[in-house]
Structures are given as structure tokens and as C-alpha cells.
Amino acid sequence: MRYDVLIIGAGHGGAQAAIALRQNKFEGSIALLGDEPELPYERPPLSKEYLSGEKAFERLLIRNAAFWEERQVTLLPGRTVTAVDPVAHAVIADGVAIGYGQLIWATGGKPRRLACDGHDLAGIHTVRTRADVDRMMAELDGVSRVAVVGGGYIGLEAAAVLAKLGKQVTVIEALDRVLARVAGEPLSRFFEAEHRAHGVAVRLGAQVAAIEGEARVTGVRLAGGEVIPADMAIVGIGILPAVAPLLAAGATGGNGVLVDAQSRTSLADVFAVGDCALHVNRYAADTAVRLESVQNANDQATVAAKTICGIEASYDAVPWFWSNQYDLKLQTVGISAGHDAAVVRGDPAARSFSLVYYRQGRVIALDCVNAVKDYVQGRRLVVEGLAADPAAIADASIPIKEIAS
């Protein structure tokens, strides 16, 4: 087998790369290889609408089977690439060599696992694939108490769904607040209070020492010796970028594979996009970052596809993210890491407010909770790196667009 463009990873980035190639009149052969048996599908709903049962899997499909067939994109599901030969321009997938003219690596990452005693007991789950969530859902009828290890977005979203399903949920976070790695303290405390108000127990500064149980989890033992009873544990402590075959082939990287503004790796004819791509980003003060978002995956994939088609393109998109918990819609634009000031706009008690982040007097990011206008209008502040009077920003009666002008 050989394809003019071989795409490894059938998530958002891989699917968008194939779509963008055809949109930009690429006429060569394209194959989309993924390690799951399904058609390419959306992952963000897994911890939200899919886990809650509000969305059937068919509604998560990025495109149906006919779409890929009509555009002559060959799907190679259920295969895992174990090696890349950049000289021969080939990959090894389940022992079979597949040649390529250009390679797009869009593998995302694998969930970090606990390393403590009991980490391999039955009833311990991660939320990354449909199969992960299907296994969890199959056990829920026999579960009343759930321990969620990790107070990031995935953990909190799963906690919100399970609380709504009537489960007794405890969130265990090693740091002193939830969302500590991605948000300012006012937002962290707001979501902590919301979860507590919905009956979720939140344990902060809590280190997991072991998972208790014989064959199946019965509790989570903390470093101080306390055991939190649990019939199920969900681990949401981040991902490890799936780039080992590329690094072994000589690609530059470490925490991800390093790419340039055209999503090219240091290997000839090899691109990388999405969660696994380490890139210099001006919205992160020109440092190298990995962005785990649909926006990043789609935009980098489009740049890679255009570059392959001979169309000049560079990745310079403003990052954006979202999270749904209970009836709260959080929308984020920009990257708040490295901020030196933050202003609360509106009243968190009203459950509609924004947190505006500054660095050296300029707005670098906004977290907007049930505040769509702030999100839409604040985007310009971030994109243009504008200075905005903090006192005016704090006054929610003044539209951001007037402050920006």
C-alpha cells in the first residue's frame, strides 16, 4: 500500500486534514488511518452529552461514511502505527508497511494513568475514546459512589454529568484549587462552589496514595491515610502526546513533536497537527506549547493541507476553548498562562461573568461564563493585544466593544 498523503490519527485533526486537502483541490490518493474501529468522531461530547446519554454516537460523527467515499478518502480503521521510516517514506502499522508521499501525524495523546498501587483494578476509567465511555456507562447502574481524580476540565465535566445522574461524586485534586493549570483563582473558586452546590464533594491538596480493592476498586486512599469510598474511579490527569514513533525516527521534540508555522516536523515530508504538535505560539508569549483543543487541531490541519497543496499558509490562529458544566457554558479565548493581572467583569453570584487576563497592561485572554457577548467582543482585545482600562473592563454595563474602540 502507498498513498500520496497518509494521515495517522482519525480524530479532529486527521479528519480536517483530509477534508482540507480535497477542499484545496488535492487530487492524489489520501488515506486516514486510526487506531479505533469507528468513523472519525467528535471527542469533546464524550465527557458531556455522550456520557449523559443526551447524544447518540451517530450524532458525534464528523462526517458519515458516504462523505469519505465520495471524496475518495480511504479509511484504515483499527490500526496502530509502531514505527516510521523517514528514508523509505513508510510507516509500519500492525506489522504491515504503508508507503507515503507526505505524512500527517495527528495522533493526539493517550491519557496519563495513575502509577500507584491498585492503578489496574477494574472500575478505573479514563475519558478519551468512545470505548472508554462505553465501558464506564456499562457499569453505571451498579455504581453509587464515584471518585474523580483530577480537577481539570475533563474531570469536572464528568463530575457534573455523574452528579446529574444521581451519583455521589468526590473530586480529588492534588493542587489547592480546581482548574489551577488553566485558569485564574476567581474562576477556580466559582466552579468549586458550583460543584459543591450540586452535591459534589471537592477535596483539594489531596494526593492519591493508592486505589483500594481486590479485583475491583472500593476506594481511593489519600496520602494522609483517609480512604474515600468509591465503586468507580475516573482519572483525568492529562494526556501524554502520542509521538514515540516519530521521535524514534529522529524528529525533534519531547513533550510533543516540534513543528514550524506550516506544521512541518524536522523530518522531510512529515507534518504534525493537533494535541501532539509542539509549536511556538504568539498567544503564549512566543513560547513552544501544545494546545489540546478542537480549534488548534482543525487550524493546524488546514495549514498543513494547504502547504501540501502548494498554497502559502501559516498557523497564527487565536486559541479558543469551551467547557459545559451543569447549565454553565464557559468560553475561553486566548491563553492566560503567564498573566500578571486579572479583572473580574460582572458578578459571579449572578452566574454570568468574565475573567479578563492581562500581561504588561495588555489583554491576553478571557474566560467567559454564560457571557457570550464578552467572549465575542473580547476576542478583538486578545487578537490585537490591546490595552484596556481595567476599571472600564470591570464595569459590565459598558460593552467591551466600546472599551476596545
Side-chain angles (χ1 to χ4, degrees):
M1 289 185 288
R2 184 188 182 282
Y3 300 92
D4 294 315
V5 176
L6 176 60
I7 304 166
I8 309 301
H12 287 275
Q16 177 59 27
I19 292 169
L21 283 167
R22 291 303 187 217
Q23 286 175 335
N24 288 284
K25 313 303 181 187
F26 183 78
E27 296 180 354
S29 57
I30 303 172
L32 183 56
L33 180 154
D35 59 4
E36 296 180 70
E38 288 89 3
L39 293 170
Y41 63 91
E42 299 178 10
R43 298 186 188 278
L46 290 176
S47 58
K48 310 177 190 72
E49 300 95 331
Y50 186 65
L51 177 58
S52 69
E54 296 172 38
K55 271 191 178 180
F57 179 72
E58 290 68 29
R59 293 179 60 195
L60 272 59
L61 294 179
I62 293 173
R63 297 289 191 277
N64 61 24
F67 174 91
W68 302 111
E69 186 174 350
E70 289 166 2
R71 283 152 185 80
Q72 296 183 299
V73 174
T74 300
L75 299 180
L76 302 174
R79 308 188 190 204
T80 301
V81 171
T82 55
V84 176
D85 186 337
V87 177
H89 273 50
V91 304
I92 304 299
D94 299 329
V96 177
I98 305 175
Y100 63 84
Q102 308 267 358
L103 183 70
I104 300 178
W105 196 265
T107 52
K110 301 296 183 183
R112 290 181 180 272
R113 307 279 180 170
L114 293 173
C116 59
D117 290 345
H119 70 275
D120 54 352
L121 289 173
I124 300 177
H125 300 274
T126 56
V127 182
R128 186 68 179 175
T129 67
R130 177 198 185 180
D132 290 338
V133 180
D134 283 350
R135 283 190 291 268
M136 190 188 313
M137 293 167 69
E139 298 178 10
L140 280 179
D141 284 349
V143 167
S144 60
R145 300 168 300 185
V146 181
V148 177
V149 181
Y153 287 124
I154 292 292
L156 294 183
E157 288 167 359
V161 170
L162 293 169
K164 287 168 67 176
L165 293 177
K167 308 303 179 184
Q168 182 182 328
V169 182
T170 302
V171 172
I172 302 168
E173 169 55 48
L175 299 179
D176 61 355
R177 57 188 177 88
V178 300
L179 302 177
R181 297 172 182 84
V182 294
E185 185 163 354
L187 194 77
S188 295
R189 299 306 176 196
F190 170 79
F191 275 102
E192 175 191 338
E194 282 290 330
H195 279 275
R196 293 188 192 279
H198 283 86
V200 174
V202 181
R203 303 299 298 272
L204 302 173
Q207 301 281 345
V208 174
I211 305 297
E212 301 281 325
E214 295 294 329
R216 182 180 176 86
V217 57
T218 58
V220 177
R221 176 156 48 90
L222 303 182
E226 178 187 1
V227 175
I228 296 174
D231 312 305
M232 174 184 286
I234 298 173
V235 180
I237 54 175
I239 68 166
L240 294 169
V243 293
L246 279 188
L247 298 184
T252 301
N255 177 29
V257 60
L258 186 65
V259 300
D260 65 12
Q262 285 70 47
S263 294
R264 290 179 295 224
T265 72
S266 61
L267 301 177
D269 301 318
V270 179
F271 298 76
V273 304
D275 293 7
C276 67
L278 184 67
H279 65 283
V280 175
N281 192 300
R282 74 178 176 98
Y283 294 99
D286 290 323
T287 59
V289 296
R290 284 191 309 104
L291 295 181
E292 299 170 14
S293 72
V294 172
Q295 166 273 317
N296 177 62
N298 286 347
D299 288 341
Q300 284 188 325
T302 299
V303 167
K306 286 183 175 180
T307 300
I308 289 171
C309 292
I311 300 169
E312 187 174 336
S314 295
Y315 179 77
D316 188 36
V318 61
W320 55 265
F321 315 84
W322 80 94
S323 177
N324 295 332
Q325 299 171 44
Y326 307 111
D327 58 340
L328 302 167
K329 184 175 184 66
L330 168 65
Q331 295 170 288
T332 297
V333 59
I335 299 174
S336 62
H339 70 274
D340 53 30
V343 174
V344 176
R345 173 179 168 84
D347 182 7
R351 306 178 81 245
S352 175
F353 71 101
S354 298
L355 188 57
V356 183
Y357 300 90
Y358 289 78
R359 183 169 55 239
Q360 296 178 353
R362 299 186 180 278
V363 175
I364 60 169
L366 292 89
D367 284 325
C368 306
V369 177
N370 289 349
V372 177
K373 284 186 178 179
D374 283 1
Y375 172 75
V376 172
Q377 295 178 13
R379 182 185 182 93
R380 181 187 165 206
L381 297 178
V382 176
V383 171
E384 298 183 18
L386 298 178
D389 177 23
I393 283 290
D395 186 348
S397 68
I398 305 174
I400 286 181
K401 64 181 179 181
E402 292 184 10
I403 302 171
S405 62

